[in-house]
Amino acid sequence: MARKMLIDGELGKPSEEEVHYDFDLFVIGAGSGGVRASRFSAQYGAKVAICELPFDPIGSEVSGGVGGTCVLRGCVPKKILVYGAAYGPELEDARNYGWEVNERVDFNWKKLLHKKTEEIVRLNGIYKRLLSNAGVKLFEGEGRVIGPNEVELIQLDGTKMSYSAKHILISTGSRAHRPGIPGQELAITSDEALSLEELPKRAVILGGGYIAVEFASIWRGMGVTVDLCFRKQLPLRGFDDEMRAVVARNLEGRGITMHPCTTLTKLEKAEEGGIKVHTDHGEVIMADVVLVATGRLPNTKRLNLDAVGVELDNMKAIKVDEYSRTNIPSIWAIGDVTNRMNLTPVALMEGTCFAKTVFGEKPTKPDYSHVPCAVFCIPPLSVVGFSEEQAMEQVNGEVSVYTSSFNPMKNTISGRTEKSVMKLLVDAQTDKVLGASMCGPDAPEIMQACIFCINAGVAVALKCGATKEQFDSTVGIHPSAAEEFVTMRSETRRVSANKPKTNL
């Protein structure tokens, strides 16, 4: 039966002659968003199919795997490596806590790599079972759109099958971008970095985003000599400038060589082995591995969207409306392939909203306001709400800035000279908390507790907002770093709105 759909409060009128489709929904791409959308749609009673490329730890145009980038070659394996890298400095710190650690402690990269691969294979199986338990039909192969209601599936043996669907959802994610510099074929992306057969002794990383910063921390924690090259004065463009400076100091303090305002001009094989890395400042850096982490591009190239008439933007991302619907009424898109807010929890949110809108008869728009995020460098950075620069642009009047910089209790014994920094932004007129940032151990876990308060404070007239006074009246857990958020009593500075943006 053709299903009804509620949009903007109006129930779509069924056609006089109901059309039979093989499926109510066919999803192309079984990453986090696609799996969520298909499962939830099936729970509403829809007949759902989903297709995904065959599994491989290193993704390509013809390989992928159920679970998608985050689970198989992104957030999850990256976090495993972050945990592994953190043990090196922790062992150093342990000596002052009485642990008689031998002078030589060996690190077995291949063992960690094997354990990481075992885990992502396990998760791949779990995601397949989630789909099966929800009654979703899984096809392994490449999907492409050949009509407003038709998907072609190219199976592993090359045979082609065609399926009709009342709705088509595209959730094919994104892929790593390679800059067009001479010798770029000698470089690797984050996909390959997660599966290197040998741990390099020397690594050069191009990029200043969270992937570049995280891999710099991972490799340095494992004893690799790391050079980090980025175009701006500070890494992590788009984050709070003060917190960016904190991250940069921490990276440098851990032994990473920083190259601000620098890009790469050429890579070439060295006669003595390794790679010669040329910068735009005339430097030559020797490396065993060069990682390019200069952004990601939407996976739309092989979907045949132009032929069907689906509109793309100049980045080749799929253009959608506020309900994730394309200009073709029966075709929808969520996740990184739309290039809206490229975070796994956001793709999950979009998948949930899609299912509610299309099959739950409850039109729901994804809410992108003040989504929290974390950078898993060592130590990590986590934020929710406005940065100071955003607050100055968007708030009328003055913004009160509260900061706390302190030596974590653990470091007082270990001797590590690395401060934690916390920051709160408050609307000086209303006392509403606008944003929070933290760089230090356990920052993402601590920040999670602040999310409801911050979101409530900035969602205009919809939720009961948290004020600075309410933060101040909260009893903290002692001794803990988290209590600093409720004990920052003294205003560090007050800034006026609409000041010029920095170019850091």
Side-chain angles (χ1 to χ4, degrees):
M1 175 183 290
R3 295 180 181 271
K4 299 174 182 180
M5 182 173 62
L6 192 65
I7 291 288
D8 288 335
E10 295 181 6
L11 190 62
K13 296 180 181 178
S15 59
E16 293 182 3
E17 292 185 10
E18 292 187 345
V19 180
H20 172 76
Y21 297 100
D22 296 324
F23 297 97
D24 297 312
L25 172 65
F26 199 108
V27 181
I28 302 176
S32 298
V35 169
R36 170 66 63 86
S38 60
R39 289 174 53 223
F40 281 30
S41 296
Q43 289 173 9
Y44 284 119
K47 184 181 180 182
V48 182
I50 191 169
C51 71
E52 179 54 71
L53 296 166
F55 169 77
D56 193 293
I58 301 175
S60 71
E61 290 184 340
V62 293
S63 64
V66 176
T69 297
C70 176
V71 173
L72 305 180
R73 61 193 69 88
C75 322
V76 172
K78 177 269 307 282
K79 189 75 179 291
I80 291 172
L81 297 192
V82 169
Y83 283 137
Y87 278 106
E90 291 281 344
L91 288 170
E92 293 176 11
D93 294 351
R95 291 188 171 95
N96 280 344
Y97 276 92
W99 291 92
E100 300 296 339
V101 182
N102 293 330
E103 288 302 315
R104 180 179 175 83
V105 178
D106 294 326
F107 171 65
N108 190 330
W109 163 253
K110 289 189 175 181
K111 183 174 184 178
L112 177 58
L113 185 65
H114 175 69
K115 289 291 186 181
K116 181 272 298 183
T117 302
E118 281 186 338
E119 177 61 9
I120 65 174
V121 169
R122 184 184 75 87
L123 293 173
N124 175 249
I126 287 175
Y127 270 71
K128 287 181 176 179
R129 289 195 294 275
L130 287 172
L131 291 169
S132 177
N133 292 342
V136 177
K137 175 67 175 177
L138 171 63
F139 293 101
E140 195 168 50
E142 182 178 10
R144 59 199 297 264
V145 183
I146 57 175
N149 299 97
E150 193 169 5
V151 172
E152 181 181 76
L153 179 70
I154 304 172
Q155 301 181 105
L156 301 186
D157 61 2
T159 58
K160 297 179 180 179
M161 302 290 291
S162 179
Y163 298 95
S164 62
K166 182 170 177 59
H167 299 282
I168 297 170
L169 176 66
I170 300 169
S171 54
T172 49
S174 61
R175 66 184 187 280
H177 165 67
R178 289 177 176 269
I181 59 175
Q184 60 91 13
E185 69 278 0
L186 299 175
I188 64 170
T189 68
S190 55
D191 280 10
E192 295 86 9
L194 289 164
S195 298
L196 286 174
E197 291 186 8
E198 301 288 342
L199 184 68
K201 293 182 179 179
R202 305 162 298 177
V204 172
I205 301 174
L206 175 62
Y210 65 94
I211 293 175
V213 166
E214 288 169 347
F215 271 100
S217 285
I218 289 168
W219 281 336
R220 184 63 200 138
M222 295 173 179
V224 178
T225 298
V226 178
D227 288 82
L228 180 61
C229 304
F230 46 95
R231 291 184 300 171
K232 296 291 185 178
Q233 293 178 25
L234 293 170
L236 298 176
R237 180 170 61 90
F239 285 80
D240 187 286
D241 286 348
E242 186 172 13
M243 305 307 290
R244 294 167 66 197
V246 172
V247 171
R249 286 198 301 272
N250 288 345
L251 293 175
E252 203 161 25
R254 295 226 171 198
I256 295 165
T257 302
M258 308 289 278
H259 300 267
C261 305
T262 300
T263 189
L264 306 187
T265 57
K266 183 172 67 173
L267 307 178
E268 58 181 348
K269 286 185 177 179
E271 292 181 4
E272 64 274 23
I275 303 169
K276 283 185 177 180
V277 181
H278 297 262
T279 77
D280 58 349
H281 296 298
E283 298 173 288
V284 177
I285 308 169
M286 294 302 300
D288 302 308
V289 164
V290 178
L291 169 64
V292 290
T294 52
R296 298 180 65 84
L297 298 173
N299 269 328
T300 55
K301 181 179 176 181
R302 298 167 65 95
L303 292 173
N304 195 46
L305 298 178
D306 289 341
V308 182
V310 174
E311 292 182 357
L312 306 178
D313 67 14
N314 58 357
M315 295 289 292
K316 300 299 181 182
I318 298 175
K319 296 170 69 173
V320 293
D321 66 13
E322 55 193 354
Y323 290 97
S324 299
R325 196 176 203 173
T326 73
N327 61 303
I328 307 297
S330 57
I331 300 177
W332 309 69
I334 60 171
D336 287 14
V337 76
T338 65
N339 199 31
R340 288 177 284 183
M341 186 175 287
N342 299 337
L343 297 168
T344 298
V346 173
L348 294 171
M349 172 181 67
E350 291 170 354
T352 300
C353 293
F354 163 83
K356 288 181 178 179
T357 298
V358 178
F359 298 107
E361 298 190 353
K362 185 180 180 182
T364 306
K365 303 173 186 177
D367 180 4
Y368 301 100
S369 60
H370 309 288
V371 173
C373 64
V375 181
F376 289 98
C377 45
I378 301 175
L381 166 70
S382 191
V383 303
V384 61
F386 290 152
S387 67
E388 184 174 338
E389 293 70 37
Q390 290 170 331
M392 285 161 50
E393 282 185 354
Q394 300 186 36
V395 175
N396 292 323
E398 294 182 317
V399 175
S400 296
V401 181
Y402 296 82
T403 61
S404 178
S405 176
F406 58 94
N407 203 28
M409 177 182 270
K410 187 177 181 181
N411 290 358
T412 61
I413 301 298
S414 71
R416 183 171 294 279
T417 55
E418 190 174 72
K419 292 186 178 298
S420 288
V421 178
M422 293 179 171
K423 185 172 185 177
L424 279 177
L425 301 168
V426 180
D427 187 316
Q429 183 176 0
T430 66
D431 200 40
K432 294 290 180 67
V433 178
L434 304 171
S437 305
M438 176 181 175
C439 185
D442 303 316
E445 311 299 333
I446 293 170
M447 194 58 60
Q448 185 70 42
C450 293
I451 290 171
F452 174 75
C453 296
I454 302 299
N455 278 338
V458 297
V460 182
L462 295 180
K463 298 178 182 177
C464 178
T467 64
K468 183 63 169 64
E469 183 180 7
Q470 290 168 328
F471 266 66
D472 293 344
S473 66
T474 301
V475 177
I477 297 173
H478 181 77
S480 70
E483 67 180 315
E484 287 292 319
F485 271 122
V486 297
T487 58
M488 287 190 277
R489 300 287 196 271
S490 301
E491 183 181 83
T492 305
R493 60 183 174 273
R494 185 170 290 202
V495 295
S496 299
N498 303 315
K499 281 190 175 182
K501 291 177 67 176
T502 61
N503 190 34
L504 299 177

